[in-house]
Amino acid sequence: EDINESFTQLGLAMLAAIAIVYLVLVITFGGGLAPFAILFSLPFAIIGGLVGLLVAGETLSVSAMMGALMLIGIVVTNAIVLIDRVIHKEKEGISTREALLEAGVTRLRPILMTAIATIGALLPLALGLEGSGIISKSLGVTVIGGLISSTLLTLVIVPIAYEVMSKLTKKISKDKKQKSITEEA
């Protein structure tokens, strides 16, 4: 019963974390497009965490759920670094596709460096090299698995999501503008 309650509380904490992250991103970026594209990296983090647990032979536990909660913050930062660069380049007059390609090249190294450094720091936990390996092993495995999958997929999926949503937003905006011109005439 305690474990079920802990899972429920951690699940609610994850939903609250995602909502808070989205709200902060909307306020920071001044719109919903970039934050929504950034959140596309989260499912891949969770999938990677679960695959990491499966490969390591660990079960889904409270500490694994805490690792998944940590992933929400860690993974979103990589996508923020990428999309922020794209937005700055778009403001300079570069097309969305060119901005995405430039940001991918420019931000690849920092994204990989932060992911590799975090993975390196968590390896002792994942390998159970410190005293309380039972509790923290699943946390380390979850975060490492989630980071590996989300880092690789953030560099592919987030730019695709951003470009598709950007095109849709521009098309909707153009259609609304055309409709208002037609109504005025």
Side-chain angles (χ1 to χ4, degrees):
E1 195 172 303
D2 286 342
I3 292 172
N4 284 338
E5 185 177 331
S6 296
F7 271 94
T8 303
Q9 288 176 349
L10 284 168
L12 291 173
M14 282 196 254
L15 291 175
I18 292 168
I20 291 167
V21 165
Y22 184 74
L23 180 65
V24 168
L25 290 174
V26 166
I27 291 168
T28 304
F29 283 111
L33 173 67
F36 195 69
I38 288 168
L39 291 182
F40 264 88
S41 60
L42 290 179
F44 303 109
I46 303 303
I47 291 168
L50 292 173
V51 169
L53 288 171
L54 182 67
V55 169
E58 293 289 316
T59 59
L60 188 61
S61 63
V62 172
S63 60
M65 293 284 285
M66 290 172 71
L69 182 60
M70 289 172 51
L71 273 172
I72 293 169
I74 296 169
V75 167
V76 164
T77 53
N78 285 340
I80 290 170
V81 166
L82 184 69
I83 296 300
D84 185 55
R85 178 71 174 199
V86 171
I87 291 170
H88 283 294
K89 287 296 174 182
E90 284 179 324
K91 286 180 181 175
E92 291 175 8
I94 296 175
S95 72
T96 301
R97 170 125 341 143
E98 288 176 11
L100 287 164
L101 292 172
E102 192 278 337
V105 170
T106 308
R107 297 298 191 209
L108 176 65
R109 186 170 176 232
I111 288 171
L112 289 177
M113 286 171 50
T114 56
I116 291 168
T118 306
I119 289 168
L122 290 171
L123 274 176
L125 287 176
L127 297 174
L129 298 178
E130 44 68 71
S132 61
I134 295 171
I135 294 174
S136 57
K137 184 175 182 180
S138 60
L139 183 139
V141 167
T142 302
V143 175
I144 288 172
L147 264 176
I148 289 170
S149 67
S150 69
T151 299
L152 297 175
L153 293 170
T154 292
L155 296 168
V156 177
I157 301 298
V158 171
I160 290 171
Y162 183 81
E163 184 174 23
V164 167
M165 288 188 291
S166 178
K167 284 182 180 178
L168 285 173
T169 304
K170 288 176 185 172
K171 185 179 184 317
I172 291 169
S173 170
K174 183 179 174 184
D175 289 348
K176 282 183 180 179
K177 187 176 181 180
Q178 190 71 23
K179 186 177 177 183
S180 69
I181 290 172
T182 305
E183 289 175 356
E184 288 177 9

PDB file of all heavy atoms in Angstrom, residues 119-132:
ATOM      1  N   ILE A 119      25.958  11.291 -17.515  1.00  0.00           N
ATOM      2  CA  ILE A 119      26.029   9.827 -17.555  1.00  0.00           C
ATOM      3  C   ILE A 119      27.253   9.342 -16.788  1.00  0.00           C
ATOM      4  O   ILE A 119      27.172   8.396 -15.990  1.00  0.00           O
ATOM      5  CB  ILE A 119      26.041   9.321 -19.012  1.00  0.00           C
ATOM      6  CG1 ILE A 119      24.663   9.535 -19.644  1.00  0.00           C
ATOM      7  CG2 ILE A 119      26.454   7.845 -19.080  1.00  0.00           C
ATOM      8  CD1 ILE A 119      24.624   9.348 -21.147  1.00  0.00           C
ATOM      9  N   GLY A 120      28.386   9.994 -16.994  1.00  0.00           N
ATOM     10  CA  GLY A 120      29.604   9.623 -16.271  1.00  0.00           C
ATOM     11  C   GLY A 120      29.451   9.770 -14.764  1.00  0.00           C
ATOM     12  O   GLY A 120      29.919   8.920 -13.995  1.00  0.00           O
ATOM     13  N   ALA A 121      28.788  10.815 -14.354  1.00  0.00           N
ATOM     14  CA  ALA A 121      28.587  11.039 -12.919  1.00  0.00           C
ATOM     15  C   ALA A 121      27.652   9.990 -12.307  1.00  0.00           C
ATOM     16  O   ALA A 121      27.773   9.655 -11.128  1.00  0.00           O
ATOM     17  CB  ALA A 121      28.030  12.434 -12.679  1.00  0.00           C
ATOM     18  N   LEU A 122      26.745   9.458 -13.108  1.00  0.00           N
ATOM     19  CA  LEU A 122      25.784   8.482 -12.601  1.00  0.00           C
ATOM     20  C   LEU A 122      26.232   7.029 -12.753  1.00  0.00           C
ATOM     21  O   LEU A 122      25.586   6.130 -12.216  1.00  0.00           O
ATOM     22  CB  LEU A 122      24.433   8.672 -13.296  1.00  0.00           C
ATOM     23  CG  LEU A 122      23.691   9.939 -12.909  1.00  0.00           C
ATOM     24  CD1 LEU A 122      22.484  10.152 -13.808  1.00  0.00           C
ATOM     25  CD2 LEU A 122      23.261   9.888 -11.461  1.00  0.00           C
ATOM     26  N   LEU A 123      27.307   6.799 -13.475  1.00  0.00           N
ATOM     27  CA  LEU A 123      27.784   5.420 -13.655  1.00  0.00           C
ATOM     28  C   LEU A 123      28.061   4.695 -12.340  1.00  0.00           C
ATOM     29  O   LEU A 123      27.685   3.521 -12.208  1.00  0.00           O
ATOM     30  CB  LEU A 123      29.017   5.389 -14.562  1.00  0.00           C
ATOM     31  CG  LEU A 123      28.715   5.321 -16.052  1.00  0.00           C
ATOM     32  CD1 LEU A 123      30.004   5.390 -16.865  1.00  0.00           C
ATOM     33  CD2 LEU A 123      27.917   4.080 -16.400  1.00  0.00           C
ATOM     34  N   PRO A 124      28.706   5.326 -11.358  1.00  0.00           N
ATOM     35  CA  PRO A 124      28.904   4.599 -10.096  1.00  0.00           C
ATOM     36  C   PRO A 124      27.585   4.149  -9.451  1.00  0.00           C
ATOM     37  O   PRO A 124      27.514   3.059  -8.895  1.00  0.00           O
ATOM     38  CB  PRO A 124      29.626   5.621  -9.204  1.00  0.00           C
ATOM     39  CG  PRO A 124      30.301   6.544 -10.153  1.00  0.00           C
ATOM     40  CD  PRO A 124      29.403   6.615 -11.351  1.00  0.00           C
ATOM     41  N   LEU A 125      26.546   4.968  -9.568  1.00  0.00           N
ATOM     42  CA  LEU A 125      25.240   4.572  -9.042  1.00  0.00           C
ATOM     43  C   LEU A 125      24.672   3.391  -9.823  1.00  0.00           C
ATOM     44  O   LEU A 125      24.182   2.417  -9.244  1.00  0.00           O
ATOM     45  CB  LEU A 125      24.241   5.731  -9.124  1.00  0.00           C
ATOM     46  CG  LEU A 125      24.396   6.891  -8.167  1.00  0.00           C
ATOM     47  CD1 LEU A 125      23.368   7.959  -8.481  1.00  0.00           C
ATOM     48  CD2 LEU A 125      24.254   6.426  -6.743  1.00  0.00           C
ATOM     49  N   ALA A 126      24.733   3.493 -11.149  1.00  0.00           N
ATOM     50  CA  ALA A 126      24.154   2.455 -11.999  1.00  0.00           C
ATOM     51  C   ALA A 126      24.887   1.125 -11.859  1.00  0.00           C
ATOM     52  O   ALA A 126      24.279   0.064 -11.976  1.00  0.00           O
ATOM     53  CB  ALA A 126      24.170   2.912 -13.456  1.00  0.00           C
ATOM     54  N   LEU A 127      26.179   1.189 -11.604  1.00  0.00           N
ATOM     55  CA  LEU A 127      26.963  -0.038 -11.450  1.00  0.00           C
ATOM     56  C   LEU A 127      26.942  -0.556 -10.024  1.00  0.00           C
ATOM     57  O   LEU A 127      27.473  -1.633  -9.744  1.00  0.00           O
ATOM     58  CB  LEU A 127      28.409   0.212 -11.905  1.00  0.00           C
ATOM     59  CG  LEU A 127      28.574   0.583 -13.382  1.00  0.00           C
ATOM     60  CD1 LEU A 127      30.019   0.951 -13.681  1.00  0.00           C
ATOM     61  CD2 LEU A 127      28.095  -0.543 -14.286  1.00  0.00           C
ATOM     62  N   GLY A 128      26.346   0.211  -9.122  1.00  0.00           N
ATOM     63  CA  GLY A 128      26.258  -0.211  -7.722  1.00  0.00           C
ATOM     64  C   GLY A 128      27.600  -0.186  -7.023  1.00  0.00           C
ATOM     65  O   GLY A 128      27.858  -1.003  -6.137  1.00  0.00           O
ATOM     66  N   LEU A 129      28.460   0.763  -7.384  1.00  0.00           N
ATOM     67  CA  LEU A 129      29.810   0.823  -6.821  1.00  0.00           C
ATOM     68  C   LEU A 129      29.877   1.505  -5.466  1.00  0.00           C
ATOM     69  O   LEU A 129      30.904   1.476  -4.819  1.00  0.00           O
ATOM     70  CB  LEU A 129      30.759   1.544  -7.793  1.00  0.00           C
ATOM     71  CG  LEU A 129      30.952   0.869  -9.148  1.00  0.00           C
ATOM     72  CD1 LEU A 129      31.868   1.703 -10.027  1.00  0.00           C
ATOM     73  CD2 LEU A 129      31.500  -0.547  -8.979  1.00  0.00           C
ATOM     74  N   GLU A 130      28.785   2.128  -5.031  1.00  0.00           N
ATOM     75  CA  GLU A 130      28.801   2.733  -3.717  1.00  0.00           C
ATOM     76  C   GLU A 130      27.921   1.925  -2.774  1.00  0.00           C
ATOM     77  O   GLU A 130      27.259   0.983  -3.187  1.00  0.00           O
ATOM     78  CB  GLU A 130      28.405   4.216  -3.760  1.00  0.00           C
ATOM     79  CG  GLU A 130      27.231   4.626  -4.592  1.00  0.00           C
ATOM     80  CD  GLU A 130      25.880   4.146  -4.121  1.00  0.00           C
ATOM     81  OE1 GLU A 130      25.342   4.591  -3.116  1.00  0.00           O
ATOM     82  OE2 GLU A 130      25.344   3.296  -4.774  1.00  0.00           O
ATOM     83  N   GLY A 131      27.906   2.257  -1.530  1.00  0.00           N
ATOM     84  CA  GLY A 131      27.306   1.443  -0.485  1.00  0.00           C
ATOM     85  C   GLY A 131      25.841   1.087  -0.642  1.00  0.00           C
ATOM     86  O   GLY A 131      25.447  -0.036  -0.400  1.00  0.00           O
ATOM     87  N   SER A 132      25.016   2.025  -1.047  1.00  0.00           N
ATOM     88  CA  SER A 132      23.574   1.763  -1.110  1.00  0.00           C
ATOM     89  C   SER A 132      23.134   1.483  -2.540  1.00  0.00           C
ATOM     90  O   SER A 132      22.205   2.076  -3.046  1.00  0.00           O
ATOM     91  CB  SER A 132      22.802   2.931  -0.515  1.00  0.00           C
ATOM     92  OG  SER A 132      23.077   4.108  -1.256  1.00  0.00           O
TER      93      SER A 132
END
